[in-house]
Amino acid sequence: FGHNECPDPGIPLNGRRFGNNFQLGNSISVVCEEGFIKTQGADTITCHLEDGNVMWSGPIPRCEAPCGGHYSGPSGIILSPGWPGYYKDSLSCEWVIEAEAGRSIKISFDRSVQHY
């Protein structure tokens, strides 16, 4: 990268980056894949000048599986925190899953193991 360009911030694990121009004044944004939430950073970061240095306005967002929460959508995915890696020791996650009156809830478990 040069005088008017920020370093490549990379593409976050479990997310998609929009924008490939890292020149001063340009922005990139990140959208997390289904089942993941942003745990760090803003939706959009901008390459700007700060104290004479060309840098991103913040860290690139991280996309991680949440540990528990409330779910009421018609369908979706709940992932293990740390996915696709390991979860922390003694982690206890609680989910509240609600359906409309008269509707049922179907839960399917995918026990496939991915090796890297």
Side-chain angles (χ1 to χ4, degrees):
F1 56 96
H3 282 318
N4 295 323
E5 187 175 61
C6 285
D8 184 340
I11 299 172
L13 185 63
N14 308 314
R16 294 190 337 233
R17 181 184 76 198
F18 295 93
N20 290 311
N21 189 335
F22 310 144
Q23 297 290 322
L24 192 61
N26 285 295
S27 299
I28 62 165
S29 60
V30 169
V31 173
C32 294
E33 294 174 4
E34 185 179 9
F36 295 93
I37 60 169
K38 286 189 189 84
T39 58
Q40 164 187 294
D43 290 344
T44 301
I45 57 175
T46 303
C47 183
H48 72 281
L49 192 60
E50 185 175 312
D51 298 327
N53 297 314
V54 178
M55 59 190 349
W56 291 108
S57 58
I60 190 160
R62 293 178 69 169
C63 296
E64 297 177 318
C67 180
H70 184 267
Y71 197 86
S72 61
S75 66
I77 295 174
I78 296 174
L79 300 169
S80 175
W83 175 261
Y86 297 102
Y87 57 87
K88 297 174 185 171
D89 289 340
S90 303
L91 190 61
S92 178
C93 302
E94 183 176 317
W95 284 91
V96 175
I97 303 172
E98 291 184 296
E100 293 177 20
R103 305 288 298 219
S104 61
I105 297 173
K106 177 182 177 185
I107 299 176
S108 301
F109 293 90
D110 181 353
R111 294 178 167 241
S112 64
V113 178
Q114 296 183 4
H115 298 279
Y116 295 92

